[in-house]
Amino acid sequence: MAGKPSACPVAHDFPFAKTDPMTMPAEFAELREREPVARVRLPSGDLAWLVTRYADAKAVLSDWRFSRDTGRPGAARMNTAIGFGNRGNPFADPPDHTRWRRLVAKAFTARRVERMRPGIQAVVDRLVGAMIEQGPPLDLMEALAYPLPITVLCEMLGVPVEDQTRFRGWIDDMLNAAFTPERRTEAAVALIEYARALSEAKRREPADDLLSALVAVRDEGDGRLSDDDLFVTVMTLLVAGYKTTAAQIGKGLLTLFRHPAELAAARAGRDEAHLRRVSEELLRFTPPGAGYGIARYAVEDVEVGGVLIPAGSTVFVARHSGNRDEAHFPDAETFDISRGTASQHLTFGAGPAFCVGAPVARMELELAFDALLHRLPGLALAVPEPEIPWNSDNAAQAPERVPITWDGPAAREAEAARTTAMGGTA
């Protein structure tokens, strides 16, 4: 009967085990087929719900009855010490989120993002040019994947060049789960103090950067972003736009190496539409994160996929699984860069909480893969893939190092010709 859970649903142990960080556990496909809204038991012993189909995942992510504030009393915990969610974000839900999103959107217009393209291209050119000058082999993560998004974020926010090294250091320390709580807290405090001082400087002397635009935005009631609003916005951009974008560059290249025919097809074109199809299919097929899903908290009884989710339940939305749903993506288990619907993936979320920085991340990925595929002839892994170490970051699971090699002399020769054609500038 629709809207009525089974009397005694079987609780599946979750998260599912993974023997390969690049592949999807088989349990997701089985649940999509037989039990798309399933009961799961977490390592803490707490029970939660797991949504695995595309349509159901999109519905939950678009429904404010599923709160983003999962720090509520009674919410399920992944283990006995740690919950998860947005308990530190005062803009998790309406009406505060609605106001925040409206103001931030004014500084994140399509025109402003498109104006960033030459700057992002310049960062990619500089980093890849340094890779070519150094020559192979080298680590993709340290040479490009991490420096690209953090440099773009710094330039986007208007962080002075002389401050960018320590700015990245604070972020790395704050987000590194291997460090002590004291070290992470110290880094967070330093970042907060710096962000507040920088915001005040932008109020006094606005510049052509995103932080100045955020300081200046107002709504129709002459409201504006407070210092706390600005800090949460900056932190959202840093956490969502740094490690996840870096992870996607590393995982994306490994995915292409695993699919030689698609790698050859990806190298066959350079127009913007072609590059977009490549990056979108990578985002669908091998998105960042460990695949645990996004947690939501049901504030009232809600029916999902014919199952009644009771108020007070924690729900995991398995976006990775939704991206492999055959009902929405035919032949979903095949990596196919010609797929015309790949951009409908759930990797950036859905609904009113859709990732505000998605256009910037997409641009970074397109330009990064363009450079890797077309400026490094003979690009290949420098070690067997099983030797690549991976981190344990659930939000941005990524290879720690991706040693790559290429035809260094050919790349230098092509780079010299490219520089000459551009009038002596790279």
Side-chain angles (χ1 to χ4, degrees):
M1 179 177 177
K4 186 175 182 180
S6 58
C8 187
V10 174
H12 306 270
D13 289 335
F14 187 76
F16 303 130
K18 295 181 70 173
T19 57
D20 179 350
M22 294 278 286
T23 59
M24 185 86 62
E27 289 90 341
F28 283 117
E30 295 168 2
L31 290 177
R32 285 196 306 271
E33 178 68 24
R34 298 198 304 265
E35 194 181 357
V37 182
R39 202 74 164 130
V40 294
R41 186 180 303 278
L42 307 179
S44 65
D46 291 347
L47 294 174
W49 294 89
L50 178 66
V51 175
T52 54
R53 285 182 180 169
Y54 181 94
D56 295 335
K58 190 170 183 179
V60 172
L61 293 174
S62 302
D63 192 336
W64 283 122
R65 292 177 296 177
F66 290 101
S67 170
R68 297 170 70 218
D69 180 6
T70 52
R72 298 165 181 262
R77 302 157 299 164
M78 184 58 74
N79 60 51
T80 55
I82 302 173
F84 41 84
N86 291 275
R87 69 174 67 188
N89 183 351
F91 312 113
D93 298 319
D96 293 327
H97 178 275
T98 307
R99 169 185 170 274
W100 174 81
R101 183 75 179 222
R102 183 175 62 245
L103 288 168
V104 170
K106 293 184 177 184
F108 251 108
T109 63
R111 178 178 296 180
R112 172 175 286 277
V113 171
E114 187 56 34
R115 281 168 49 197
M116 295 174 60
R117 183 178 293 273
I120 295 176
Q121 183 68 72
V123 175
V124 172
D125 288 345
R126 184 166 68 248
L127 292 172
V128 175
M131 292 168 62
I132 292 171
E133 182 177 352
Q134 177 180 334
L138 52 71
D139 174 22
L140 171 74
M141 303 305 292
E142 188 59 34
L144 179 66
Y146 284 116
L148 172 59
I150 194 60
T151 302
V152 169
L153 283 166
C154 284
E155 294 187 0
M156 185 170 71
L157 292 170
V159 177
V161 174
E162 60 270 21
D163 293 343
Q164 290 183 10
T165 299
R166 59 184 180 137
F167 193 81
R168 178 186 174 185
W170 291 327
I171 297 167
D172 286 340
D173 286 1
M174 184 183 69
L175 298 179
N176 194 328
F179 289 165
T180 64
E182 292 77 16
R183 180 169 176 177
R184 298 178 68 185
T185 299
E186 182 180 347
V189 170
L191 187 61
I192 290 170
E193 292 176 349
Y194 182 88
R196 292 193 190 283
L198 185 62
S199 299
E200 186 56 39
K202 300 299 182 183
R203 282 199 177 93
R204 294 193 304 268
E205 297 183 27
D208 185 20
D209 55 53
L210 179 63
L211 189 53
S212 295
L214 289 169
V215 167
V217 294
R218 295 174 179 273
D219 62 21
E220 50 276 11
D222 202 35
R224 66 191 312 168
L225 294 170
S226 67
D227 285 346
D228 287 341
D229 297 344
L230 286 168
F231 178 68
V232 169
T233 303
V234 170
M235 293 306 298
T236 298
L237 293 172
L238 292 174
V239 173
Y242 175 28
K243 292 295 182 78
T244 53
T245 302
Q248 188 61 15
I249 293 173
K251 292 179 74 174
L253 190 59
L254 290 176
T255 299
L256 288 167
F257 286 149
R258 284 192 177 189
H259 298 83
E262 294 303 293
L263 173 60
R267 284 174 167 151
R270 293 201 69 175
D271 64 275
E272 192 171 319
H274 177 79
L275 294 172
R276 184 171 297 116
R277 284 193 299 271
V278 173
S279 63
E280 294 296 338
E281 178 66 352
L282 287 169
L283 284 163
R284 182 197 72 85
F285 192 80
T286 319
Y292 294 176
I294 295 179
R296 293 288 188 263
Y297 181 91
V299 298
E300 60 182 79
D301 293 353
V302 186
E303 181 181 329
V304 177
V307 174
L308 185 66
I309 305 292
S313 299
T314 299
V315 180
F316 282 93
V317 181
R319 294 177 298 172
H320 290 53
S321 176
N323 287 346
R324 299 288 186 96
D325 189 345
E326 296 277 348
H328 191 83
F329 299 104
D331 199 18
E333 295 295 338
T334 298
F335 176 61
D336 178 8
I337 66 167
S338 68
R339 188 183 301 275
T341 59
S343 62
Q344 298 173 17
H345 60 73
L346 299 171
T347 301
F348 292 120
F354 183 85
C355 177
V356 69
V360 178
R362 281 178 153 132
M363 190 177 293
E364 290 174 349
L365 293 171
E366 290 168 19
L367 296 178
F369 285 120
D370 175 38
L372 289 169
L373 295 173
H374 298 106
R375 292 173 61 185
L376 301 178
L379 180 65
L381 280 175
V383 299
E385 188 186 322
E387 295 182 11
I388 293 177
W390 287 72
N391 66 25
S392 57
D393 187 337
N394 294 334
Q397 186 184 47
E400 291 183 359
R401 295 183 300 278
V402 180
I404 56 173
T405 187
W406 63 90
D407 187 341
R412 286 192 293 272
E413 183 177 340
E415 198 71 0
R418 176 177 175 273
T419 300
T420 301
M422 297 177 65
T425 59

